[in-house]
Amino acid sequence: ELKVEQNPLFLSMQEGKNYTIYCNYSTTSDRLYWYRQDPGKSLESLFVLLSNGAVKQEGRLMASLDTKARLSTLHITAAVHDLSATYFCAVVDSGNTPLVFGKGTRLSVIA
Amino acid sequence: NAGVTQTPKFQVLKTGQSMTLQCAQDMNHEYMSWYRQDPGMGLRLIHYSVGAGITDQGEVPNGYNVSRSTTEDFPLRLLSAAPSQTSVYFCASSYRFYNEQFFGPGTRLTVL
């Protein structure tokens, strides 16, 4: 059974600082997705990572995938308040099963 | 394209009542799914469908029924509502089960 673990679950960071959110998963997969959820809103797709070594960047966020380590990272550079949200990773199992989501990382960027 | 739509946005039920949460997508996606989101629990899969006429159970299916008579629609039925079903419900769709999922705006359900 595929398990997806994110850490940290809560993150309070100062504006201008850098930090990384980690997503570990337990079985072989080469597809991983990152989503953002603002309070009271739905989930919005951020990144689609489809192969080992994939790296995607948008603005102050950069996501990468290491399928051998079964690890994805979401790196935040020079955080700003607008990045405050909950971030989820979701992994496709190698079998014919739906996406499995991590529990989410609630990020709060403070001045 | 409207994307994934859900109705209603908010609903209050009494224990024992039944209701249907509606979900529709206009992207011709084969795969559709229902999740519930509770504080500290992340997203938990209730039921999913890989195509019209095909449904399967997810992690927390008890108390819910689904059907998929068309590609576009995937309603979720609560048979006899219980307070434990108080949650936010999201419908999602994707071209195939392994593709990027697109989420609806959610339904906030309270069961008294």
Side-chain angles (χ1 to χ4, degrees), chain A residues 33 35 37 42 45 96 98, chain B residues 31 37 97-101 104:
Chain A
Y33 303 90
Y35 290 86
Q37 185 180 34
S42 185
S45 179
N96 189 22
Chain B
Y31 179 80
Q37 185 176 35
F97 76 92
Y98 49 78
N99 292 126
E100 175 188 12
Q101 289 196 35

Side-chain angles (χ1 to χ4, degrees), chain A:
Chain A
E1 179 189 346
L2 173 61
K3 293 192 185 303
V4 180
E5 290 191 359
Q6 285 183 239
N7 67 83
L9 297 181
F10 298 93
L11 176 57
S12 180
M13 47 186 306
Q14 284 187 313
E15 280 188 332
K17 299 291 188 184
N18 303 336
Y19 209 83
T20 300
I21 298 170
Y22 297 89
C23 175
N24 292 273
Y25 52 96
S26 61
T27 66
T28 302
S29 177
D30 59 1
R31 284 176 179 258
L32 188 141
Y33 303 90
W34 283 96
Y35 290 86
R36 169 181 171 145
Q37 185 180 34
D38 292 311
K41 302 292 188 183
S42 185
L43 280 79
E44 172 189 351
S45 179
L46 279 177
F47 297 113
V48 177
L49 303 171
L50 298 179
S51 61
N52 185 42
V55 177
K56 295 281 184 73
Q57 181 164 5
E58 181 166 332
R60 301 174 188 273
L61 299 177
M62 184 174 71
S64 65
L65 178 62
D66 180 343
T67 58
K68 292 177 181 162
R70 298 177 186 171
L71 171 69
S72 179
T73 59
L74 180 65
H75 187 73
I76 303 153
T77 301
V80 293
H81 180 70
D82 285 351
L83 291 179
S84 297
T86 299
Y87 294 86
F88 292 91
C89 64
V91 182
V92 177
D93 202 337
S94 56
N96 189 22
T97 53
L99 287 185
V100 177
F101 282 80
K103 285 193 172 8
T105 296
R106 184 184 294 181
L107 171 65
S108 177
V109 180
I110 55 178

Side-chain angles (χ1 to χ4, degrees), chain B residues 38-96:
Chain B
D38 303 291
M41 302 292 289
L43 287 161
R44 292 186 290 170
L45 182 66
I46 305 171
H47 285 285
Y48 64 97
S49 169
V50 297
I54 306 170
T55 64
D56 207 343
Q57 296 181 350
E59 180 185 355
V60 288
N62 292 343
Y64 308 95
N65 270 0
V66 292
S67 60
R68 183 100 179 267
S69 56
T70 67
T71 300
E72 294 79 18
D73 301 297
F74 191 44
L76 178 72
R77 296 183 190 84
L78 279 71
L79 308 173
S80 177
S84 61
Q85 293 178 305
T86 293
S87 188
V88 180
Y89 292 84
F90 289 102
C91 179
S93 74
S94 60
Y95 186 58
R96 296 271 194 273

